[in-house]
Amino acid sequence: MRSSTLWLASYPKSGNTWVRAQLDALVRKGPPDFASMDDSGEGINDQMDPALDLPLGGLAPAEAVAAMRLSWAIAEPVSGAYIRRKTHSAWLADGDAWPAPWQPPGAKAIYIVRDPRAIVCSWAHHLDISPERTVEIMADDAQPQRGDHLAKGRGLLASWSRHVSSWVHECELPVLVVTYESMLADPAGQLRRMAQFAGIDATDDEVGAAVAACSFVNLATREIFEGFAEAPGANRPFFRRGEAASWRSELSPGLAAAIEQRHASVMREFGYSLTE
Amino acid sequence: MPAPSAPINHLDGGAPPPGPLAPFRRTEDSLTLGVADLGSITVDARAITVRGPDEESRGAVWDRLGVWAEAQWYARHGFMVIRGAAVAREGRGVVLAARSQQGASITAAQMTDLGWGIVSDGIVVLGQDGTLLSRRPLVHLDSEAAERLYPLAPRVPLAAGRPRTAVELPSHDDAGLADVVLMSVDNSVGSVVVTGPTMVDASAGSIPLVRSLLTPQSLVAPPSARIWVVVRPMPVDEAMMARVRPPMVAQHLDAALADAAASRTGSR
């Protein structure tokens, strides 16, 4: 069995939606379709592919996640070489002996990394909790995803450092690593890399058009007029600031230092400079 | 004519070992799906065959995979199969189309308290003329919800992977398809962020959410059918829903469907 899954994987609030929107825009050769940005048609979360369509209510969590993985593996892409699926699961075993996103050979992953200090600001807003609480969650190696995670096919979240390391160093699938900051600096270049990895043929003009269609201003404007399913709540938009270094004005020096102390090793690996 | 019952065979067989994927085999003629350490179920045009090392294992496989297997069998015999539930009143049937844990079963159950009867639960089987074919009136619910809502109804605990119970509720025979309810978990309907169960009359036009919610098969509803979308911000917790009194979604659907029926007959 060979899987056609292309995971778009990241810790929360790391640019996953932005990547999905850009790839969708590239494939459609037009603005991204918010209602169905993932080929699986399942929307925002790891969910069973219609290829299997098995009722999950009677399955134990480990049985459910094994069924989810099967549904992802047996699905055939409708167009293109891969089926794009979003996940926030770490590449770590939890509940059974395999990571929730495990797939047989053929599958790939694009993993998106973002400065954890910026994630704290964005995620605190999204969850409507304090930055301090967000830092605690991001430091917890045993942090599960919210809700009945395994039964929904969602694996362990873990800490930010553990999450990044698991995909970058332990994942058995071919992984293309992209940083949020590099996408801000060179959106066309990074999209070109991702398109090539994803087997999407695109001209330079098409890449440019996709980048433009998915600029922060365009996405935020569309959210105002069309709504966005992943928005956290009324009056709290999903597309918030879209900047790299806004954390400098939003985080207290003490909190920034706490994040750096906990995640210094991985931050240095990705070139995130630490404050003195 | 009720939906035909698939022939079901129970045979001794081995239990598949654990692995990252649920055990699965597909041939030109059959599908086999398994549960690690329990057994497997095979569907072909002739029958459904449950295999396991003993009766207990085979029962556990059936209670986990039986609905799926029946859906495959019906599809192989030319029936349209939709995931969800169907209820009817006075011959007028309503499909509650939904994926797993989106509230179709418990909503169907709660509608029986309002005078509706169960046509089928788990899957909806349609005949070639679009008739909703009746199946056994057993609704599968989380055991806590079943105990709370229907303590006196005939109930059978299921050998599932979670505490689940089959509850026998008031039934209805075959029914014509009158209306469609699409049930989904999503955060927004258009530009409105959903914070609780929200019902939208989608008949007036094709809103993007309707398109994204349609089940894999195309459901051809009669021209007079109304289409509602019931959206929740998160998956249904049946035990929690059972504690909500009165059952808001069931009541709103009941009222909306009654209104639709009255409009069709011209009495409103």
Side-chain angles (χ1 to χ4, degrees):
Chain A
M1 184 181 296
R2 282 187 70 82
S3 173
S4 300
T5 291
L6 172 64
W7 285 117
L8 303 176
S10 73
Y11 199 82
K13 311 310 289 181
S14 298
N16 196 307
T17 301
W18 188 21
V19 168
R20 287 186 292 128
Q22 291 181 84
L23 292 177
D24 192 66
L26 205 56
V27 169
R28 290 180 190 281
K29 301 189 191 325
D33 182 350
F34 279 179
S36 58
M37 283 200 301
D38 305 309
D39 288 347
S40 67
E42 291 296 326
I44 61 174
N45 293 309
D46 316 82
Q47 289 184 27
M48 173 161 289
D49 193 283
L52 187 61
D53 202 18
L54 177 66
L56 297 173
L59 298 180
E63 295 166 355
V65 74
M68 291 274 197
R69 293 192 196 104
L70 174 66
S71 79
W72 300 328
I74 64 175
E76 300 280 348
V78 173
S79 61
Y82 295 96
I83 301 172
R84 286 167 276 141
R85 305 188 194 276
K86 165 189 171 177
T87 185
H88 286 318
S89 301
W91 189 267
L92 295 168
D94 175 41
D96 64 2
W98 298 271
W102 189 95
Q103 286 289 277
K108 284 183 166 182
I110 294 175
Y111 187 75
I112 310 135
V113 182
R114 188 181 186 187
D115 190 321
R117 293 165 296 195
I119 291 176
V120 166
C121 301
S122 180
W123 208 20
H125 162 81
H126 187 84
L127 295 179
D128 199 20
I129 60 176
S130 68
E132 289 77 9
R133 177 64 187 130
T134 309
V135 170
E136 286 174 14
I137 292 172
M138 289 177 64
D140 185 359
D141 278 339
Q143 178 68 42
Q145 294 199 54
R146 295 175 77 189
D148 186 7
H149 62 287
L150 201 59
K152 302 288 188 293
R154 293 179 207 146
L156 193 65
L157 182 64
S159 67
W160 177 83
S161 292
R162 195 72 188 90
H163 193 286
V164 173
S165 297
S166 73
W167 278 97
V168 173
H169 298 301
E170 298 167 45
C171 178
E172 299 151 29
L173 308 176
V175 179
L176 177 71
V177 180
V178 177
T179 68
Y180 184 93
E181 293 76 15
S182 67
M183 288 197 293
L184 279 178
D186 179 19
Q190 295 305 313
L191 183 54
R192 222 173 276 120
R193 280 182 73 212
M194 290 189 281
Q196 186 174 32
F197 186 77
I200 301 171
D201 289 327
T203 65
D204 285 348
D205 284 347
E206 288 167 345
V207 167
V211 166
C214 298
S215 69
F216 177 80
V217 168
N218 276 337
L219 294 178
T221 303
R222 284 187 62 190
E223 179 178 11
I224 292 170
F225 288 100
E226 299 173 31
F228 189 62
E230 295 175 59
N235 301 320
R236 286 192 295 125
F238 181 88
F239 299 104
R240 193 182 67 105
R241 292 188 68 167
E243 298 168 4
S246 58
W247 62 267
R248 293 184 187 277
S249 59
E250 293 186 68
L251 281 184
S252 67
L255 209 52
I259 297 166
E260 292 166 14
Q261 185 176 39
R262 176 64 176 84
H263 302 290
S265 173
V266 178
M267 289 178 72
R268 285 195 192 95
E269 180 180 351
F270 287 92
Y272 295 123
S273 56
L274 308 183
T275 55
E276 293 300 328
Chain B
M1 179 193 74
S5 295
I8 302 171
N9 303 316
H10 286 254
L11 299 178
D12 283 337
L21 306 180
F24 181 77
R25 188 172 67 251
R26 177 164 45 199
T27 69
E28 200 173 306
D29 303 314
S30 69
L31 278 177
T32 298
L33 183 61
V35 183
D37 294 331
L38 281 179
S40 64
I41 200 164
T42 299
V43 185
D44 58 35
R46 292 184 307 274
I48 296 173
T49 303
V50 186
R51 289 184 175 84
D54 51 49
E55 189 178 329
E56 185 180 345
S57 299
R58 291 190 291 270
V61 171
W62 178 258
D63 283 348
R64 285 161 164 81
L65 305 181
V67 170
W68 173 84
E70 287 183 303
Q72 301 299 321
W73 188 87
Y74 284 119
R76 284 167 185 275
H77 286 263
F79 294 94
M80 174 177 282
V81 182
I82 294 173
R83 291 267 282 102
V87 295
R89 186 159 62 191
E90 297 170 355
R92 294 191 312 275
V94 179
V95 168
L96 307 176
R99 297 195 164 271
S100 201
Q101 295 173 304
Q102 293 179 357
S105 292
I106 192 165
T107 300
Q110 290 173 323
M111 288 179 74
T112 65
D113 300 330
L114 300 168
W116 296 81
I118 299 293
V119 177
S120 62
D121 177 58
I123 55 175
V124 179
V125 184
L126 289 88
Q128 297 207 340
D129 63 352
T131 301
L132 305 179
L133 303 181
S134 59
R135 285 164 37 84
R136 53 193 180 275
L138 293 175
V139 179
H140 289 194
L141 299 174
D142 283 353
S143 294
E144 185 181 338
E147 170 69 28
R148 181 176 290 271
L149 291 174
Y150 306 106
L152 301 180
R155 290 175 291 150
V156 176
L158 297 169
R162 294 172 51 240
R164 299 280 287 171
T165 299
V167 184
E168 185 175 335
L169 291 172
S171 64
H172 192 288
D173 293 334
D174 297 355
L177 174 59
D179 295 296
V180 178
V181 179
L182 305 178
M183 311 187 78
S184 178
V185 172
D186 203 334
N187 243 10
S188 68
V189 178
S191 60
V192 177
V193 176
V194 170
T195 56
T198 300
M199 200 162 83
V200 176
D201 185 344
S203 301
S206 175
I207 60 175
L209 187 61
V210 173
R211 174 163 56 89
S212 72
L213 289 177
L214 286 175
T215 51
Q217 304 93 340
S218 295
L219 174 62
V220 181
S224 59
R226 298 278 288 275
I227 300 174
W228 283 271
V229 174
V230 176
V231 185
R232 292 181 168 88
M234 60 187 66
V236 163
D237 178 332
E238 287 181 346
M240 193 178 301
M241 264 189 77
R243 290 194 283 271
V244 174
R245 301 296 182 105
M248 301 303 295
V249 172
Q251 285 198 331
H252 284 157
L253 274 177
D254 179 55
L257 291 164
D259 189 62
S263 297
R264 280 192 286 266
T265 60
S267 58
R268 188 170 305 190

